[in-house]
Amino acid sequence: MKQCEYCGKEITYHEIYCCDDCQIKANRFYERCEKFSKLFTAVNTACVFGIPVGLFLMSFLRLLGTVVASGSCIILGLMLLLFPFPTEGMIKKFKIIKAVKIVRILGIAVIVLGLFIAGMLVILGF
Ligand SMILES: [Zn+2]
């Protein structure tokens, strides 16, 4: 059975979306993806590098390392919350609504991780 690209409702074979509303929302989603994809990729790449660099620095520059690692996590998490762009594979598998939700949950998890790293610094002392 085919599913609506946006909400995942079951549809007939010749349809792509279950209703006009889903089609409009899906188009808006793809437009946003295109508009912000460069910014999204640039920030994400910087953060994905920042996390291991920060963790590495933590072994000898604890404060700087922690700020870099937890800052990268929090920025990455906020990006995922504000611009929840799943990969094409995720959209195919889960459809847009669910894929976006998964990315947002991932964003929250990354923010929590960032706060946890920052909390470690407070617990262990500077
Ligand atoms: Zn739909």
Side-chain angles (χ1 to χ4, degrees), residues 35-48:
K35 209 167 156 191
F36 294 109
S37 68
K38 272 193 191 133
L39 172 77
F40 182 73
T41 311
V43 175
N44 281 10
T45 310
C47 291
V48 167

Side-chain angles (χ1 to χ4, degrees), residues 29 84-86 95-105:
F29 169 80
F85 302 147
K95 307 305 164 195
I96 295 172
I97 285 189
K98 211 174 170 195
V100 164
K101 217 177 268 174
I102 293 169
V103 174
R104 285 219 163 103
I105 292 168

Side-chain angles (χ1 to χ4, degrees), residues 4 7 18 22:
C4 170
C7 70
C18 66
C22 277

Side-chain angles (χ1 to χ4, degrees), residues 4-9 11 17-19 22-23:
C4 170
E5 285 269 334
Y6 189 75
C7 70
K9 228 183 263 169
I11 49 174
Y17 301 104
C18 66
C19 57
C22 277
Q23 183 163 9

